[in-house]
Amino acid sequence: MGDKEKVNILLVDDQPAKLLTYEVILGELGENLIKSASGRDALEQLLKHDVAVVLMDVSMPDLDGFELAEMIRQHPRFQRTAIIFISAVHLTDLDRIKGYQRGAVDYISVPVIPELLRAKVSVFAELHRKTRQLERLNRELEQRVAERTEELARRAEALLLLNGEMARKNQELDAIVHTAPDTIFSSRADGEWDYASERFYEYTGAPERSANGFGWLGYVHNDDVEACRNHWMDAVQSGRNYEAEFRLSGQDGVYRWFRARAIAIRDGEGEVLKWYGTCSDIHDSKMLEQSIRQSAAELERLVDDRTMALRRLSGRLMQIQDEERRRVARELHDGLGQDLAAAKMLLDAIVQQGRGASDEEGVAEAIEIIDHAIQQVRSVSHLLHPPLLDEVGLLSALKWYLEGLSRRSSIETSLDVEPGDFPRLGAEAETAIFRIIQEALTNVYRHSGARSAQVKLHRQDGLLTVAIRDDGKGIEEAIAELRPGGIGIGIGGMRQRARELGGELRLANANPGTVVEVVLPCRQPASEKASAIA
């Protein structure tokens, strides 16, 4: 309870006018005034509130002031509550004595002097406030003493445990130092060793304590000693963790590789007090590492050689495949195609010579069949290797192929090319791009259920992007990610063709449909170079 916190003052009188008078007189004190019109109500208010002073009239119906005071004092909680009687009737000394016997701290007669009443009530209110503060401080002090006592007990117990733990740790440390396969050392802040474990002397055969100071450097290989000393002193001066590899001489004069590590122990201000470290034999792992490194380099060279050989072989196989398709196309066109054309001309001549109607009807049917066969031969020839690809270029061949695909499959196709003056590419690049688009659209026809497909060629900043997009059902995740075993021969061939040209194949679901994208480095055509030079 703070110094300025209000206390409760209970005003008890059965006459409202008197209650109002007391309220006006005591209002200047700035305390909480609780009014009660009867003894019973006053008891209820006492049970609800912490009351500092009870100001009550002696003469009241039901319970008079003396009876109420006696009941209040019987309750343990209110034995120290200040009770002030006010009376205009009971004014004798016996009445006053009776009031004090009932526990009153004062007995005021009417008429009441306002200043006197305020002063007396103020004194008891302040006394109550100070009493509550003192009680609270006592409780807090007792709590602090209890907490402090408990804390001291915990610290004492923790100290005992810590002492036991430290003793055990010291034993463990001694065991580790004596059984560790590594050399354990310590150094002063200036870098001079002041301790080296027995392992150092067992390995080097050096006299006891000869490693102290910088004596340990005398057992380091001559080629390593200068770098080892400089590295150690750099760590000492900078305070950074130390790590170095060097060769140490054994008793037999044979050098082995060791790795030394050390860390600094600092005080509260960050100043280095001491260094602790280990020195581990890494000779076998060092030799193994060098052997693995040499083997890895040799294996990488063999893999590169084999990869280059496979690329050359793959390129040669694709070249042979394209040459074979050209040969088959020429044979179909120049052989079977010419024969069928000759047969057609002969049948036309028969009809023109005027034979019977029945013969004309049969011959006409034969001509129709031969026309159909010629058309099929031409289609097969164009599909194997479109003549337009060699004669006019990639764009013309693609337009012809897309028109034929739209007629045969009812899939609406379109071709978008940027820039408008798209140049001719090399024969190898144009063939590969045509085959990739052909395979992609074949997959669209066979698997996607699409109604439309778009082919886009975009050349910019030395890169050629080929994109084939459809509005079909899309592809599985394994295919989109090109997982091994998830793609077929067709997609594998497309990816291989792209790699042969130094490019990359990408697959993705477009929601709806699928996007097949190939990004290739695009060399400047000879015609563009000539124009730039001119």
Side-chain angles (χ1 to χ4, degrees), residues 134-151:
L134 183 59
E135 290 175 353
R136 187 187 72 251
L137 290 176
N138 287 335
R139 287 194 300 271
E140 291 178 357
L141 181 59
E142 291 175 357
Q143 179 66 25
R144 290 179 183 178
V145 170
E147 292 175 355
R148 185 62 175 171
T149 303
E150 184 179 354
E151 181 181 359

Side-chain angles (χ1 to χ4, degrees), residues 28 71 146 157 196 219 306 308 327 347 350 367 387 424 500:
E28 298 181 9
M71 295 177 67
E157 184 179 357
Y219 302 91
R306 180 63 59 86
M308 292 300 298
R327 186 185 65 79
L347 290 173
I350 292 174
I367 293 173
R424 286 293 303 269
E500 291 296 331

Side-chain angles (χ1 to χ4, degrees), residues 364-380:
E365 184 177 356
I367 293 173
E368 183 179 355
I369 294 173
I370 293 174
D371 283 337
H372 186 264
I374 293 173
Q375 184 62 36
Q376 285 187 331
V377 169
R378 288 177 177 174
S379 297
V380 171

Side-chain angles (χ1 to χ4, degrees), residues 121-193:
V121 172
S122 175
V123 168
F124 291 111
E126 188 64 26
L127 179 61
H128 179 83
R129 191 175 0 250
K130 295 300 183 182
T131 301
R132 291 293 180 265
Q133 290 178 359
L134 183 59
E135 290 175 353
R136 187 187 72 251
L137 290 176
N138 287 335
R139 287 194 300 271
E140 291 178 357
L141 181 59
E142 291 175 357
Q143 179 66 25
R144 290 179 183 178
V145 170
E147 292 175 355
R148 185 62 175 171
T149 303
E150 184 179 354
E151 181 181 359
L152 290 174
R154 287 198 303 269
R155 289 187 178 183
E157 184 179 357
L159 184 59
L160 290 175
L161 293 175
L162 182 59
N163 289 335
E165 185 70 13
M166 288 183 63
R168 187 177 64 81
K169 291 294 183 182
N170 286 333
Q171 293 177 356
E172 292 178 356
L173 182 60
D174 289 340
I176 290 173
V177 169
H178 288 92
T179 60
D182 302 335
T183 295
I184 299 174
F185 65 90
S186 64
S187 165
R188 297 197 299 265
D190 59 3
E192 293 190 8
W193 284 23

Side-chain angles (χ1 to χ4, degrees), residues 262-294:
I263 60 173
I265 305 300
R266 305 174 187 273
D267 60 14
E269 298 179 355
E271 294 294 329
V272 176
L273 298 176
K274 206 170 183 62
W275 290 85
Y276 288 96
T278 60
C279 191
S280 308
D281 188 334
I282 60 167
H283 188 81
D284 294 338
S285 61
K286 187 84 171 178
M287 296 299 100
L288 179 60
E289 180 183 345
Q290 291 179 357
S291 176
I292 292 174
R293 190 182 299 112
Q294 293 172 357

Side-chain angles (χ1 to χ4, degrees), residues 394-406:
L394 175 64
L395 298 185
S396 298
L398 286 176
K399 291 177 182 178
W400 168 84
Y401 178 74
L402 293 176
E403 291 173 359
L405 179 65
S406 296

